[in-house]
């Protein structure tokens, strides 16, 4: 079981580095674009055409490329109203149920977003100024939502395995040793 856990941990690290790397590169490009646009606009009276559309597209990409990592690491915004009264020995059950609910919600949203991507391509939707097809970004968002749903489901399974004693720590909220 240790070898299997180690391999999944390595796959998770590679996926995390890839997604964070692409999101980071997109954020850096967004920063460069904004800087060049501001300098061009205020010092040379030459703004970069289409900056608003590119900024919107890149911002959406950064957010949704980061979502799967946030889901796997359980870095969501959360309110701990029940933590003080919830027994520590049942945390795995609570986390499993919460992760299952989130996974289902992400999957439902992803299927709806995918349908929007299909419709965007069928109708030929493009951005207003640069004429960039909207469907590509919508598909990226849907794929990242599907991946987030699968990773959240995986986290729910790991909490279940923790609860039945197969593994020591199912996730960042576990009472056992932290593994992420």
């Amino acid at each position: 079981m240790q070898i299997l856990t180690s391999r999944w941990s390595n796959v998770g690290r590679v996926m995390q580095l890839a997604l964070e790397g692409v999101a980071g590169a997109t954020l850096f490009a967004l920063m460069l674009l904004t800087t060049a646009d501001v300098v061009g606009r205020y010092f040379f009276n030459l703004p970069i055409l289409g900056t608003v559309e590119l900024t919107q597209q890149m911002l959406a990409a950064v957010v949704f490329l980061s979502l799967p990592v946030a889901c796997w690491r359980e870095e969501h915004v959360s309110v701990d109203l029940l933590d003080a009264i919830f027994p520590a020995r049942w945390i795995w059950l609570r986390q499993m149920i919460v992760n299952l609910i989130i996974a289902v919600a992400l999957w439902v949203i992803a299927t709806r977003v995918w349908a929007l991507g299909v419709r965007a391509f069928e109708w030929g939707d493009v951005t207003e100024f640069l004429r960039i097809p909207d469907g590509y970004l919508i598909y990226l968002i849907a794929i990242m939502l599907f991946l987030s749903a699968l990773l959240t489901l995986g986290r729910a399974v790991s909490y279940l395995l923790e609860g039945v004693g197969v593994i020591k720590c199912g996730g960042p909220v576990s009472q056992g040793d932290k593994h992420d």
Side-chain angles (χ1 to χ4, degrees):
M1 188 65 175
Q2 183 65 26
I3 294 172
L4 181 63
T5 304
S6 174
R7 286 190 184 153
W8 277 115
S9 179
N10 290 337
V11 168
R13 279 192 205 102
V14 168
M15 182 190 61
Q16 177 181 339
L17 287 173
L19 289 172
E20 287 176 343
V22 174
T26 305
L27 186 60
F28 187 72
L30 178 60
M31 179 195 69
L32 290 177
L33 175 67
T34 303
T35 302
D37 183 52
V38 168
V39 168
R41 176 175 288 128
Y42 289 109
F43 293 110
F44 304 109
N45 201 24
L46 291 170
I48 298 174
L49 299 176
T51 302
V52 172
E53 287 180 3
L54 290 174
T55 299
Q56 291 170 343
Q57 299 264 322
M58 286 193 269
L59 190 56
V62 167
V63 168
F64 284 97
L65 285 166
S66 303
L67 183 63
V69 175
C71 288
W72 178 250
R73 296 171 77 184
E74 291 184 287
E75 293 178 341
H76 308 91
V77 174
S78 62
V79 180
D80 55 358
L81 296 174
L82 301 177
D83 284 358
I85 61 170
F86 206 85
R89 69 178 183 272
W90 295 107
I91 287 177
W92 68 270
L93 180 63
R94 179 195 68 198
Q95 290 306 115
M96 182 189 71
I97 292 169
V98 166
N99 278 282
L100 284 173
I101 292 169
I102 292 170
V104 168
L106 285 169
W107 193 268
V108 169
I109 294 168
T111 58
R112 296 303 309 143
V113 172
W114 187 268
L116 290 174
V118 169
R119 188 175 74 185
F121 274 117
E122 287 175 352
W123 290 2
D125 289 348
V126 293
T127 60
E128 186 176 345
F129 188 74
L130 295 176
R131 315 296 294 165
I132 300 169
D134 288 331
Y136 294 117
L137 179 63
I138 296 170
Y139 278 151
L140 172 70
I141 291 170
I143 290 167
M144 291 300 107
L145 285 166
F146 280 124
L147 181 58
S148 299
L150 292 173
L151 290 172
T152 304
L153 179 63
R155 185 56 80 194
V157 169
S158 68
Y159 279 115
L160 174 64
L161 294 175
E162 175 188 341
V164 297
V166 174
I167 60 176
K168 186 175 181 180
C169 182
V173 184
S174 295
Q175 291 298 305
D177 298 327
K178 302 287 187 228
H179 62 45
D180 283 336

